[in-house]
């Protein structure tokens, strides 16, 4: 298996791709921060998938006699104002966080990719108009824009996701355009065009795949920002609505108790920091591996 | 493209051309911002006409109100009349305060400006030296500590840090004053001249008010400054690493220039210009970041105004605040961009 992966002369496209991925993984494993980041992200995914197995309680319902208990053996992170186990709620909250970052990435990355690739590929006026539009969005304050969108669409987790995605795509469009420009006049593109491929086919099958690695880096680095924005919207009561155990909303509930029952607001915040840091570390490591040009910088 | 004669390519002409192009882009960006706020105002699911006439109104009454509000006109016409209104400072009336939004915003903006300015001063004063030291000792433990600190700036929610800060430094240790801009006791004691409480109290010569206001601003401004610090330190480190790898630095070292001088005079001298852009960007970012901090600290600034308006479905106030924050954001962005072009010796 190892030989097959490390082969210098791959026999099929699958083998070449797998080999490249394997080498990148080996490089990544040599970067301690990236490993830590990867483990944290893995932990988030496992927690989200296996939430019912990990969480001691369901995280919903009330248990008023046990309200606002400090952290103890029974309740690692204490209980909240309705007697719910905070640890269980943080565990279930992983699902919501993963859902938000996943959906934002799935919506905004392809949108940015297509806008950027089309602009870079066609050039001229198409480029000017699309990039002008992108730049306008880029020079807006993201959080404020997301707030205004949610205000208009109405609070709720779906609208929060849409609002964040709307503010996230322009950065990806810029990257995709820059990448596309570097190989727009490459011979393989010219050759494909000579074979009679349509513009759509060239962009989709030949241009976009080459933009993906820088896109993955950027999306990973952006994840922390997305999580913070989502949590911020939740904190303001505009994101996920109670009783959903969204971390930002949980901090907001604990705000009233911060002076006496500090754990109610503090614990979900630690989860946010851990996961955001994980994505930062992983993104930094991925950049060092996949994008050697800027390795070592920042 | 017309080929320019060498004479017309002199520096002032080129600079003027690039500034003119810049002005066009800036105006377009403002129009874009207006288009976005206009669009957000239109996609509100609540029918603005219904909000005025109530749901018992007859069809004729409804139509009359719609015409009176100008909503029967084509979208483009509505947009241009909106742009005209905004340029005349007409942002509509706030439903919750009953005052014109523009007047409200003028009242709350100085509070935000004051906090963000102190925040950026803290961020620059600590972030730049930290970045330089991290680059000079790249790979050492101090570099790692600064790196982790900077990454924390990207991963800690501002509102959470605010809450924890309040619990620790206000409730726990009692080092700083609590939420709000000033104690109720001192409220309204000094005549507002600039709207900046620290400046106003100094003008009035009332040091008691000054110290009380300083006591209130220190925690939120420090927390805000931490986020600026994270970004500035990271960028400074990256710029410095670039410079320290250049040959002129090696030359200076070979000549026997002391290391301290190599770092602070030679290398740092050449990153000052890009740093201005970074500082400008983070200043703009702080104005935005203050929304969360203000909510936590009940700071009577534009962020608090915005979030309060959000809950009252006070769309005029929301859009007005969005517009002002967006405009300030764009202006700072563009100004630091222009500064970069003017100061960069390569454009000479």
């Amino acid at each position: 298996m190892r030989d097959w992966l490390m082969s210098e002369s791959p026999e099929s496209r699958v083998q070449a791709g797998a080999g490249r991925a394997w080498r990148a993984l080996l490089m990544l494993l040599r970067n301690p921060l990236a490993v830590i980041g990867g483990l944290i992200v893995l932990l988030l995914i496992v927690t989200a998938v296996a939430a019912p197995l990990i969480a001691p309680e369901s995280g919903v319902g009330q248990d008023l006699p046990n309200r606002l208990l400090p952290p103890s053996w029974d309740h690692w992170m204490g209980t909240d104002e309705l007697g719910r186990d905070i640890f269980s709620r943080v565990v279930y909250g992983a699902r919501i966080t993963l859902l938000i970052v996943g959906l934002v990435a799935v919506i905004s990355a392809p949108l940015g990719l297509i806008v950027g690739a089309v602009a870079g590929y066609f050039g001229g006026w198409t480029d000017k108009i699309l990039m002008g539009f992108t730049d306008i969005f880029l020079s807006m304050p993201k959080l404020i824009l997301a707030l205004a969108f949610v205000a208009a669409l109405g609070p709720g987790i779906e609208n929060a996701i849409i609002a964040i995605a709307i503010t996230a795509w322009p950065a990806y469009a810029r990257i995709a355009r820059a990448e596309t420009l570097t190989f727009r006049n490459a011979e393989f593109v010219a050759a494909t065009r000579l074979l009679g491929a349509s513009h759509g086919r060239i962009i989709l099958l030949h241009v976009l795949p080459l933009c993906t690695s820088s896109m993955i880096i950027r999306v990973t680095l952006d994840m922390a920002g997305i999580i913070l924005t989502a949590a911020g919207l939740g904190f303001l009561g505009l994101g996920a609505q109670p009783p959903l155990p969204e971390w930002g909303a949980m901090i907001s509930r604990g705000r009233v108790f911060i002076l006496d029952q500090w754990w109610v607001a503090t614990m979900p915040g630690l989860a946010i920091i851990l996961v955001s840091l994980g994505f930062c570390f992983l993104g930094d490591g991925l950049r060092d591996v996949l994008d050697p040009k800027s390795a070592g910088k920042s | 493209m017309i080929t320019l004669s060498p004479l017309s390519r002199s520096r002032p002409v080129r600079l003027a051309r690039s500034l003119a192009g810049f002005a066009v882009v800036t105006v377009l960006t403002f129009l874009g911002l207006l288009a976005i706020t206009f669009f957000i105002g239109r996609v509100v699911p609540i029918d603005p006409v219904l909000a005025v006439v109530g749901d018992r109104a007859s069809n004729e009454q409804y139509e009359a109100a719609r015409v009176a509000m100008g909503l029967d006109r084509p979208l483009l016409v509505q947009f241009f009349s909106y742009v005209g209104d905004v340029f005349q400072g007409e942002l509509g009336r706030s439903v919750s305060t009953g005052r014109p939004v523009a007047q409200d915003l003028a009242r709350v903006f100085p509070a935000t400006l004051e906090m963000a300015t102190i925040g950026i001063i803290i961020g620059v004063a600590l972030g730049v030296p930290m970045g330089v030291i991290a680059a000079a000792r790249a790979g050492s433990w101090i570099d790692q500590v600064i790196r982790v600190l900077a990454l924390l700036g990207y991963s800690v929610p501002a509102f959470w840090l605010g809450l924890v800060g309040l619990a620790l430094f206000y409730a726990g240790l009692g080092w700083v004053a609590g939420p709000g801009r000033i104690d109720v006791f001192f409220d309204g004691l000094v005549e507002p001249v600039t709207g900046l409480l620290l400046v106003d109290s100094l003008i009035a010569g009332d040091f008691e008010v000054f110290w009380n206001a300083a006591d209130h601003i220190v925690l939120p401004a420090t927390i805000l400054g931490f986020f600026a610090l994270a970004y500035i330190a990271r960028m400074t480190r990256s710029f410095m690493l670039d410079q320290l790898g250049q040959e002129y630095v090696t030359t200076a070292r070979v000549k026997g220039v002391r290391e301290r001088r190599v770092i602070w005079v030679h290398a740092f001298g050449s990153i000052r210009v890009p740093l201005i852009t970074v500082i400008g960007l983070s200043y703009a970012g702080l104005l935005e970041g203050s929304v969360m901090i203000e909510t936590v600290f009940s700071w009577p600034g534009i962020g608090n105004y915005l979030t309060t308006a959000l809950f009252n479905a006070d769309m005029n106030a929301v859009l007005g605040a969005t517009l002002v924050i967006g405009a300030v954001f764009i202006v700072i962005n563009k100004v630091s961009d222009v500064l970069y072009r003017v100061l960069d010796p390569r454009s000479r």
Side-chain angles (χ1 to χ4, degrees), chain A residues 139 142-143 151-152 236 255 266, chain B residues 29 45 147 160 288 295 310-311:
Chain A
S139 51
K142 278 187 175 182
L143 179 67
L236 292 176
R255 195 179 157 186
T266 312
Chain B
T29 315
R147 181 177 183 165
W160 182 84
E288 181 191 29
T295 312
L310 279 174
F311 291 115

Side-chain angles (χ1 to χ4, degrees), chain B residues 206-326:
Chain B
D206 193 332
F207 288 97
E208 236 179 320
V209 174
F210 177 81
W211 287 116
N212 190 263
D215 210 12
H216 276 273
I217 205 171
V218 63
L219 186 60
T222 308
I223 290 174
L224 212 48
F226 169 66
F227 293 97
L229 176 155
Y231 179 61
I232 292 174
R234 211 167 135 95
M235 295 310 284
T236 308
R237 176 180 182 273
S238 143
F239 290 152
M240 280 300 279
L241 276 183
D242 265 359
Q243 295 301 324
L244 290 174
Q246 302 273 333
E247 285 181 358
Y248 75 90
V249 169
T250 319
T251 312
R253 281 182 180 145
V254 170
K255 273 196 332 196
V257 178
R258 270 182 305 139
E259 187 63 21
R260 179 182 289 243
R261 197 177 153 77
V262 169
I263 289 170
W264 285 104
V265 178
H266 292 243
F268 187 71
S270 32
I271 70 161
R272 275 178 309 191
V273 176
L275 258 191
I276 288 177
T277 315
V278 166
I279 292 170
L281 279 178
S282 49
Y283 191 36
L286 286 196
L287 285 176
E288 181 191 29
S290 60
V291 171
M292 287 295 170
I293 294 286
E294 283 180 10
T295 312
V296 171
F297 284 89
S298 312
W299 194 260
I302 198 166
N304 213 347
Y305 182 72
L306 175 64
T307 45
T308 317
L310 279 174
F311 291 115
N312 298 329
D314 188 351
M315 236 20 221
N316 279 342
V318 171
L319 292 181
T322 309
L323 207 57
V324 167
I325 299 177

Side-chain angles (χ1 to χ4, degrees), chain A residues 164-189:
Chain A
I164 299 173
I166 288 175
T167 58
W169 67 270
Y172 308 137
R174 274 255 153 241
I175 295 172
R177 174 176 176 271
E179 292 272 311
T180 308
L181 281 183
T182 59
F183 46 73
R184 172 173 104 181
N185 296 320
E187 279 167 12
F188 75 93
V189 173

Side-chain angles (χ1 to χ4, degrees), chain B residues 25-89:
Chain B
V25 172
T26 311
V27 169
L28 281 179
T29 315
F30 271 116
L31 279 180
L33 173 66
L34 286 168
I36 292 175
T37 49
F38 175 73
F39 173 73
I40 293 175
R42 293 264 326 174
V43 293
V44 185
I46 315 159
D47 186 340
V49 182
L50 216 54
V52 172
V53 298
D55 47 5
R56 288 231 212 109
S58 66
N59 273 343
E60 291 81 47
Q61 282 171 318
Y62 181 89
E63 272 309 311
R66 206 164 88 95
V67 173
M69 292 167 78
L71 293 172
D72 58 327
R73 295 172 298 169
L75 261 190
L76 210 61
V77 176
Q78 286 187 41
F79 176 63
F80 280 114
S81 87
Y82 170 69
V83 171
D85 283 351
V86 169
F87 275 102
Q88 288 167 21

Side-chain angles (χ1 to χ4, degrees), chain A residues 116-140:
Chain A
V118 167
Y121 177 79
F122 287 110
W125 277 105
T126 319
D127 184 31
K128 281 215 174 76
I129 291 169
L130 283 178
M131 281 301 118
F133 203 61
T134 308
D135 280 345
I136 288 174
F137 265 91
L138 259 187
S139 51
M140 304 290 165

